[in-house]
Amino acid sequence: MQMGSSETFDVNLVASTVNEIHHLVPLLQEFQAQHRRVNVLYGIPLVPSQVPRLASLARTLGEDTIAVMIDHPAQIDFLSEFHRLAGLPASVFIKVDTGYHRAGLPPTGLNKADLLKRLAQAERDGHARLLGVYSHSSLSYAGSTPEEAMGHLTAEITGCRDAVRHHVDLLPDRELVISVGATPQAASVQNLLQGQTSAAASAEARGLRELLRDPLPGARVKVELHAGNYAVLDMQQLETQAESRGRPDDEVAISVVAEVCSLYNGGERAQPEALLAAGTLALGREPCHSYPGWGVIGQWRREAASRRLILARISQEHSIVTWEKGRDGDEVPDIPLEVGQAVRVYPNHSCVTGAMHGWYLVVDSDLEEGSKVVDVWVRARGYSALPA
């Protein structure tokens, strides 16, 4: 849906597993049949076990369709192996660490142990082609305002710009891409373009607009936003408030339907609780900085309440539902659910939750209280590090 069926712009995607890229092949071939350029980036620094699978995908889809990420000189040899197996050069992004410290090199240190010089030689040998520099900073997930999201985006672009400027003599003389972003940053740009918030008129916003327009004056550089899970959202993204949001029932597209196993409203415990037949294997185990829980129970098929029901504790196969903490001294009411009742749980991190399941049951929110399944979307799931 995001790429459109009759558009003409390039199809640039990022995948966190090679399984996902394999799953996308028929769709990518449809785009190619429409004469659209496609490119899929394997979103972590390249490891040797994945080179045969990625090379096979490149043979299937053609030149400039598979991109990889590097941040260590040892990975140059993997590019040569990719070329040997695919008969094509690998498209390459260099990972820049702009403060998250998950992967990548600092902006002034891209030529670690002659990495850039060795990459330039790989280009001359026909084994690789540098696309640009890449940063994905999840620091923005801890924010709670549009201004903070814009600040994180500015820092990412600035870090990547500094990386290009510092190493310009070692980079190829052609247009390069600065690829940055995450869901909060993408939402902040939407606000910026549409002028929806007071933040859009701030001095920081004006500086960000200029940075997006011309990140490195005098150089051929363009900014690309990779936007994360903005299409479905989750509790982590909702709580950043990078864009004005409502309830999860109205804003988050992914939920897990689970049944109530048992209720403890009779004083068996310090406070009323319910046992839910969904745990880590259904939802993942990702925290959210704004509340102490592992998911939020939606309003589907139950009466609205002044407080939220949350998954306060979670185990492999089940979780414990309680009321979110209110003010000290507030009476804690019974859990308003029934044994056997189905509820919708909005996850903290939809990427992890989705990977637990083999398909999405697509419902129309206007039909039968949002419970009528109108389509089934099969998805890639799991992780495999085995060669093809």
Side-chain angles (χ1 to χ4, degrees), residues 111-139:
N111 197 35
K112 171 183 178 178
D114 287 336
L115 171 62
L116 293 180
K117 292 180 179 179
R118 294 187 61 191
L119 180 58
Q121 184 59 52
E123 280 218 18
R124 290 191 289 271
D125 294 339
H127 296 173
R129 177 176 171 80
L130 179 64
L131 298 180
V133 294
Y134 182 102
S135 171
H136 179 81
S137 175
S138 296
L139 291 170

Side-chain angles (χ1 to χ4, degrees), residues 293-344:
W294 306 99
V296 173
I297 305 293
Q299 301 286 353
W300 180 61
R301 291 183 170 177
R302 69 181 188 88
E303 293 184 6
S306 59
R307 274 193 265 173
R308 297 192 299 190
L309 288 173
I310 65 171
L311 275 53
R313 306 192 300 278
I314 195 166
S315 302
Q316 176 178 313
E317 70 287 339
H318 62 259
S319 53
I320 300 296
V321 178
T322 70
W323 291 107
E324 189 172 16
K325 183 175 174 59
R327 293 173 301 183
D328 290 342
D330 282 355
E331 182 181 352
V332 181
D334 288 348
I335 302 294
L337 302 174
E338 301 291 338
V339 173
Q341 180 178 347
V343 298
R344 271 194 181 145

Side-chain angles (χ1 to χ4, degrees), residues 31 53 55 64 122 135 137 175 183 201 216 219 231 262 270 278 305 371 383:
F31 289 138
R53 301 182 71 195
D64 296 328
S135 171
S137 175
E175 184 178 68
T183 297
L216 185 55
S262 193
S371 60
Y383 172 80

